[in-house]
Amino acid sequence: MLLRTADPFRDFDRLTQQLLGTTNRPAVMPMDAWREGERFVIEFDLPGVSRESIDLDVERNVLTVRAERVARNGDWERLASERPTGQFSRQLVLGDNLDLDRIEATYDAGVLRLVVPVAEKAKPRKIEIASASPEKETAAIES
């Protein structure tokens, strides 16, 4: 006789938490974003990912980050597996006020850091007011 001790609903819940994340353990590529003056900074946590496996694309206003964490192979027995492996990606829709042609990306200690400057057209600027010539003003009064 075969006893089944696994609960299929518990297994489904565990799979959902691994893929979508929970409040205690976020999704595969957690991110922080903030503004520093005239630039936006975005950081993605990618521990265990080699720099060569990270791919960044910008199409229109959509930034796509793709990465791959390779599973370790060898002559050993797995005791626990909580770190996801394989390919994963994340997309962000960026505003029109950012200069997507000048994005800078660095990767250090498992953190991918993107710096996106504000576009020149979106920066506040002063508009000079020209004065009308005095001759035109007196001509308008006499007519």
Side-chain angles (χ1 to χ4, degrees), residues 14-35:
R14 185 177 302 143
L15 176 64
T16 304
Q17 289 175 0
Q18 287 176 350
L19 294 176
L20 302 177
T22 64
T23 56
N24 294 333
R25 187 169 157 238
V28 176
M29 201 183 302
M31 163 193 94
D32 289 332
W34 64 92
R35 183 173 182 162

Side-chain angles (χ1 to χ4, degrees), residues 47-58:
V49 172
S50 70
R51 186 177 58 84
E52 293 78 23
S53 77
I54 300 172
D55 185 36
L56 297 172
D57 290 322
V58 175

Side-chain angles (χ1 to χ4, degrees), residues 84-129:
T85 59
Q87 295 182 351
F88 38 91
S89 68
R90 185 152 186 186
Q91 290 187 321
L92 300 174
V93 178
L94 303 176
D96 292 331
N97 61 341
L98 299 177
D99 189 351
L100 302 182
D101 294 329
R102 294 182 30 223
I103 295 176
E104 298 174 8
T106 57
Y107 185 64
D108 184 39
V111 177
L112 175 65
R113 181 182 178 106
L114 304 177
V115 177
V116 187
V118 173
E120 289 297 323
K121 66 180 181 180
K123 292 180 182 177
R125 60 190 178 281
K126 293 284 186 184
I127 299 173
E128 187 176 325
I129 301 171

Side-chain angles (χ1 to χ4, degrees), residues 58-78:
V58 175
E59 185 175 336
R60 296 187 184 145
N61 287 5
V62 179
L63 170 72
T64 303
V65 181
R66 291 184 189 86
E68 180 177 10
R69 184 179 297 120
V70 181
R72 294 185 176 159
N73 295 322
D75 186 23
W76 45 271
E77 178 184 355
R78 184 180 307 266

